[in-house]
Amino acid sequence: LWELFPGHPNLLPAFTTPNALPTPSAGYVAKPRLGREGANVRVVDGSGAVVAENDGGYGEEGFVFQERARFSAIDGKTPVIGSWVVGETPAGIDLRETGGPITGDLAEFVPHLILPAGTESI
């Protein structure tokens, strides 16, 4: 998405190498191209020190390096909103909360479904 919409305020810079990131002092997050629920994610600060990481069986396909964003903790948890889009149609969102900087498979999870207009329930 960053290649399609560089500088968009709702996106973080992401590249196939951390050297391409525009703000090295922000640090970065290394995410496997193919992964699952925080496995093999590594958080690196601006000095290059690893501040958090999860192990797992992913990363063989390579990594994407995304500028690190600081999230505000709410009641000691970090909330993250994910979205699903099918084609160009919004299909659902989820809210995950965790106590650390990497959202993993033990995060609290609340799914939401987006129904077509005029649909009351499924």
Side-chain angles (χ1 to χ4, degrees):
L1 284 176
W2 188 256
E3 288 179 3
L4 294 173
F5 306 102
H8 192 284
N10 295 333
L11 297 174
L12 290 168
F15 298 93
T16 57
T17 173
N19 299 334
L21 292 165
T23 314
S25 62
Y28 64 87
V29 178
K31 300 176 179 182
R33 288 180 184 232
L34 172 66
R36 182 176 179 273
E37 297 182 340
N40 298 97
V41 170
R42 185 174 68 251
V43 180
V44 179
D45 70 13
S47 73
V50 175
V51 296
E53 64 183 327
N54 282 351
D55 60 359
Y58 299 95
E60 184 176 313
E61 301 79 13
F63 287 81
V64 172
F65 300 89
Q66 184 178 51
E67 186 173 284
R68 185 178 179 192
R70 307 265 183 194
F71 297 109
S72 297
I74 300 172
D75 294 331
K77 295 190 178 187
T78 305
V80 176
I81 296 174
S83 64
W84 293 294
V85 177
V86 178
E88 295 181 8
T89 304
I93 61 172
D94 68 71
L95 176 64
R96 293 178 184 263
E97 292 183 332
T98 189
I102 300 173
T103 304
D105 62 351
L106 298 179
E108 296 174 26
F109 178 80
V110 179
H112 296 74
L113 175 65
I114 299 172
L115 297 173
T119 305
E120 292 184 29
S121 64
I122 56 172

